[in-house]
Structure formats: structure tokens, C-alpha cells
Amino acid sequence: MNWFGKKAKQPSTVSATSASKPSDPQVTIVKLRESIANQEKREEHIEKKILAVVAEAKAKMAKGDKKGALYAMKRKKLYEAEHEKITNVKFTLETQVINLESAQQNAQTFQALKQGNTAMQGIRQEVGIEAVDDVMDEIKEEMEMAQEINQAIAQPVDPLMTDEDELLEELNMLETADLEAELLKPPAAATPNISMPDVPDSKLPALAKKEEDDLKALEAELAGL
């Protein structure tokens, strides 16, 4: 029972959590645009009213009803004041829409930057400078190992390569032995330079005469047989 005659305060049906929770910006933008559309419809309606009362004032003046024309012009002033108020309301709503869209875009940009920063921190933790140095050292070691393998593969395969020094020593010994043998060889006897007479190409005259006589004797003997 209320002894002081004041009405008891009714508990609010909206919880503190829902009252403090911010609304979705996109939903708010939609509602603002709906309000702008309603104001534009009312603005169009007021403009029609202004045209109507102007026409009414002209008609009353034409009929000589000055009082009625004056009343119509007063109504015109009221409609114009309402039209100006609607214009101001529309401007305020459109300003809120622009600011809210800009704030929403900024919030999305902030979230994107924040996520990018978090991703970079995660990558940096996984790929630290020490890990990069270790990987680079391993790459250098592998490249050096590959170079050594290439050099080993490119070497010629000669089974006697290890005996080259021994073979060269043996070759030097053979050359030394040949030189010693050449030095120990006895000198050759000197051949006297005796000039011999030339052998005649034709037979001697006496020998030729004797052979001719023998040939004739033989022929005679054969003829007697």
C-alpha cells in the first residue's frame, strides 16, 4: 500500500545487459535509412500541401475572400516550417549514416590490422632469427657437401696414379743406365783412307785376243765334226 500517494516505480523490462550492449552497426544503418525514406515521403506530402494551400489562397483572393486567403497563407507558413524541419532531420540522419558507415569501415580496418599483426607475431614465433640462421647454415653445409661430391665425381680414375712417383724413378734409372753403357763402350777402330784404282769397264786387250783365238779354234773343231 502506498501511503505517500506516489505511484510505485515499475521494474524495467529491459535488462541492464541488453541496455548496455551496443547494437549492430549494420542494423542501425538500415534503420536510419528507413527513417530517411519516411522523412522523404513526408517531405513530398508537405510539398503537395504547400502547393494546395497556395492554390486555395489564390482562389479565395479571386473570390474576394481576403480573410480566407490570409488563413491559407498562414497554413502555408506552417507547412513550410514543417518542410524545413524535415529537411534538417533528413540532414541529421544522413550525417549519422555517413559517420556510422565510416566508423564501421574503420572498425573493420582495425580488426584486419589486428589480425594481420597477430598473424605476423605467430609467424615470427615460428620462424625466428635463430631458426633462420640455422636453416641458412644447413643450406651452406649442404651446398659445400654437394661441391665436394661433384669434385670427387669429376676426378679421373687411374689405377696407376698412385705409382707415378715410382715409375718416374724407374724411368730415370733406365736413362742413367743407358748413358753409362754408352760411355763404357770401346771406341771403334779408325779405317785408313786408301784410294783404290777404278775397275775398268772393258776387258784388257791381251785377254780379249786370247778369248777370240780360243773361240775360233772351237768353231773349227766343231766344223770338222
Side-chain angles (χ1 to χ4, degrees):
M1 184 174 183
N2 189 1
W3 298 97
F4 299 98
K6 292 183 179 180
K7 186 177 181 181
K9 186 176 180 181
Q10 297 294 330
S12 177
T13 57
V14 180
S15 63
T17 304
S18 61
S20 61
K21 183 179 179 181
S23 60
D24 187 3
Q26 192 61 37
V27 174
T28 304
I29 291 173
V30 172
K31 291 182 178 180
L32 289 172
R33 292 193 180 279
E34 290 176 354
S35 297
I36 292 172
N38 293 331
Q39 294 297 325
E40 288 176 348
K41 292 179 180 179
R42 179 160 177 77
E43 184 180 28
E44 184 179 356
H45 176 70
I46 295 298
E47 289 175 352
K48 291 180 180 180
K49 287 288 188 180
I50 292 174
L51 293 176
V53 294
V54 169
E56 182 182 352
K58 290 180 179 180
K60 289 185 180 296
M61 284 294 294
K63 294 179 180 180
D65 187 1
K66 186 176 181 180
K67 186 178 179 179
L70 184 60
Y71 177 72
M73 293 303 293
K74 288 181 179 180
R75 291 167 59 198
K76 173 179 175 292
K77 290 293 183 181
L78 293 175
Y79 287 135
E80 287 177 347
E82 182 68 17
H83 186 275
E84 184 177 0
K85 184 184 72 173
I86 293 173
T87 302
N88 293 334
V89 171
K90 279 178 53 182
F91 180 78
T92 301
L93 293 173
E94 290 174 353
T95 302
Q96 285 185 328
V97 170
I98 293 173
N99 292 335
L100 188 56
E101 288 177 343
S102 178
Q104 185 180 21
Q105 184 66 32
N106 292 336
Q108 292 175 354
T109 303
F110 171 75
Q111 291 297 328
L113 292 173
K114 186 176 180 181
Q115 292 177 1
N117 186 42
T118 303
M120 290 181 64
Q121 290 178 353
I123 294 173
R124 181 171 53 81
Q125 291 177 357
E126 294 179 0
V127 186
I129 184 65
E130 295 181 358
V132 173
D133 290 339
D134 293 340
V135 171
M136 294 304 298
D137 291 340
E138 292 177 0
I139 292 175
K140 290 179 181 178
E141 291 178 0
E142 292 297 330
M143 292 178 66
E144 291 176 357
M145 183 65 70
Q147 184 67 21
E148 292 178 359
I149 293 174
N150 292 334
Q151 292 177 355
I153 293 176
Q155 290 180 358
V157 179
D158 189 354
L160 301 178
M161 183 177 296
T162 56
D163 299 333
E164 283 187 357
D165 294 338
E166 183 179 352
L167 294 175
L168 289 174
E169 184 178 358
E170 184 178 353
L171 182 60
N172 291 331
M173 291 176 63
L174 290 175
E175 290 180 351
T176 303
D178 291 341
L179 181 60
E180 291 177 354
E182 185 68 23
L183 293 175
L184 295 176
K185 185 185 295 184
T191 303
N193 189 9
I194 302 174
S195 61
M196 298 296 292
D198 296 333
V199 179
D201 295 335
S202 59
K203 297 180 179 180
L204 296 175
L207 183 58
K209 183 68 171 65
K210 184 176 182 305
E211 288 180 356
E212 186 178 356
D213 292 340
D214 292 341
L215 182 59
K216 287 180 178 182
L218 181 59
E219 289 178 353
E221 185 176 356
L222 291 174
L225 293 176

